[in-house]
Amino acid sequence: MTTFFPMNAGDSPYSYSKNYLLQKEVLDSAKEMVRDAIIRKLEIKNILSSSNMFRITELGCSIGPNTFSAMQHVVEVVKEKYKNNTPEYQIFFNDHVTNDFNTLFLLLPIDRSYYVYGVPGLFHGRLFPSRSIHFAHCSSVIDWLSKCPEESLDEKSPTWNKGLIHYEGASNIKMVNAYVAQFEKDMEMFFNARVREIVPGGMIVLISPQSTERLAKFFGSSLMDLVNEGKFDESLVDSFNVPTYFPSPKDMTRVVDKNGCFSIERIDLTYPKSKLLDEADAKTLMIKFKGCFRRNFRQLFWK
């Protein structure tokens, strides 16, 4: 069963639209690499149809301003490369059906130079007609699994993730491997869908964040403190796992090669120093956590 973890909706202090800076660090650190890839590798004249319409999709757009920054950057680089011969642009913002698209569209830049569409649905499956997309962009999203490994929540399984909410920091290698296997299944579905949707010669940019082990350990230990204080039963912690896996370059190379539908033109590993994680206090970390998980967290622990 697919797990839905949409970002916290609206524009309250705990909404994702007010707590997006961690993902912004990841996005900004990759912008120069995205620019270089477009300038050197994307031959737009060879992939455009007679309509002269360049179609871009932002997969996993959420609701914060990061998605608009990313799309504006792509459009500006394409314009820079082709100067006066640039096409018109259609941008398809995609996310879960439960994503807060109303807030997303309320935040649309007034001076945008592209046409806008919303596409609800999981990007692990098909979203667009065959050979209709020229450029796909996906930042801080592929690390989200379609679901947690089922065996990690089964107390009878050797991969049971007892007392933890994530694979990071765990000593159970079988449980870690279960996360790896789920990631590989999801990416196989992802690539099989995109190969039908992206035109020959098109491009996918995948940006994955660095490991957030500090966040996982902090929230996991905080939950266990609440258990020890009698706030709720430990079984609730055991039934809650964060469905994320942070792939290494080796992981990405393996899933791309196994699928065989795409080639890797460039893969880089960067280490941007995150002040938001390295220097944040407990209160700040909790606010960031609520921006991503508050809806699901409340449903599970405070029904």
Side-chain angles (χ1 to χ4, degrees):
M1 180 179 179
T2 299
T3 304
F4 291 95
F5 272 76
M7 300 297 99
N8 202 33
D11 60 354
S12 73
Y14 296 120
S15 68
Y16 179 75
S17 65
K18 298 292 177 63
N19 295 280
Y20 59 88
L21 293 180
L22 182 60
Q23 290 81 2
K24 184 177 186 297
E25 284 185 334
V26 177
L27 179 66
D28 288 347
S29 71
K31 279 188 174 179
E32 189 56 36
M33 288 182 283
V34 174
R35 179 185 180 278
D36 181 69
I38 294 174
I39 295 295
R40 293 193 305 109
K41 296 291 184 179
L42 190 63
E43 295 298 333
I44 297 177
K45 292 180 181 179
N46 296 335
I47 63 177
L48 281 179
S49 65
S50 58
S51 67
N52 201 41
M53 183 67 71
F54 189 71
R55 299 183 182 89
I56 306 167
T57 181
E58 170 78 323
L59 301 170
C61 61
S62 191
I63 59 175
N66 288 340
T67 188
F68 304 128
S69 173
M71 293 299 93
Q72 185 62 34
H73 178 66
V74 171
V75 171
E76 288 176 355
V77 174
V78 173
K79 287 182 177 180
E80 173 190 347
K81 180 173 183 177
Y82 289 95
K83 297 180 173 61
N84 296 327
N85 296 319
T86 60
E88 294 185 288
Y89 301 91
Q90 291 178 320
I91 295 184
F92 301 88
F93 291 97
N94 156 258
D95 213 317
H96 291 164
V97 296
T98 52
N99 185 58
D100 186 2
F101 283 99
N102 287 334
T103 296
L104 174 73
F105 292 134
L106 284 173
L107 297 174
L108 276 170
I110 297 175
D111 58 347
R112 63 188 180 276
S113 57
Y114 48 82
Y115 299 99
V116 176
Y117 305 84
V119 182
L122 291 176
F123 60 63
H124 294 108
R126 286 288 301 272
L127 296 168
F128 304 102
S130 297
R131 299 191 175 189
S132 60
I133 299 297
H134 301 96
F135 189 95
H137 186 274
C138 194
S139 179
S140 297
V141 176
I142 62 166
D143 46 290
W144 286 90
L145 304 176
S146 64
K147 62 180 181 180
C148 282
E150 295 178 359
E151 54 269 42
S152 68
L153 302 174
D154 182 1
E155 61 180 283
K156 297 180 181 180
S157 171
T159 61
W160 185 31
N161 199 20
K162 179 175 176 55
L164 297 173
I165 64 170
H166 199 242
Y167 70 89
E168 292 193 293
S171 58
N172 186 344
I173 189 62
K174 291 184 178 180
M175 187 272 295
V176 176
N177 288 339
Y179 270 82
V180 174
Q182 186 62 53
F183 171 75
E184 292 180 347
K185 291 177 184 177
D186 288 349
M187 292 308 297
E188 179 72 9
M189 292 188 293
F190 176 90
F191 287 127
N192 285 341
R194 300 293 87 76
V195 74
R196 292 172 172 82
E197 298 169 347
I198 294 180
V199 301
M203 180 178 290
I204 304 177
V205 170
L206 303 176
I207 305 169
S208 180
Q210 63 179 349
S211 170
T212 55
E213 183 174 354
R214 185 187 175 197
L215 280 173
K217 286 185 175 180
F218 170 77
F219 296 120
S221 63
S222 296
L223 289 175
M224 291 307 297
D225 288 343
L226 292 173
V227 169
N228 294 331
E229 293 173 8
K231 301 296 184 181
F232 46 74
D233 192 79
E234 185 177 353
S235 63
L236 287 177
V237 178
D238 295 336
S239 66
F240 176 76
N241 271 226
V242 179
T244 57
Y245 178 78
F246 300 101
S248 66
K250 184 178 179 180
D251 289 324
M252 289 306 304
T253 300
R254 183 171 61 250
V255 294
V256 172
D257 289 346
K258 179 181 178 181
N259 179 264
C261 296
F262 294 91
S263 61
I264 297 176
E265 296 296 332
R266 176 173 177 175
I267 186 168
D268 290 272
L269 185 63
T270 61
Y271 295 92
K273 182 176 176 59
S274 175
K275 292 184 178 180
L276 294 173
L277 287 182
D278 295 342
E279 302 176 11
D281 56 20
K283 180 179 179 181
T284 301
L285 289 175
M286 182 58 73
I287 291 174
K288 301 302 178 187
F289 180 81
K290 287 183 177 180
C292 294
F293 292 103
R294 192 180 190 204
R295 186 191 309 183
N296 303 83
F297 197 73
R298 289 176 62 186
Q299 289 175 352
L300 181 62
F301 291 98
W302 287 282
K303 294 182 179 179

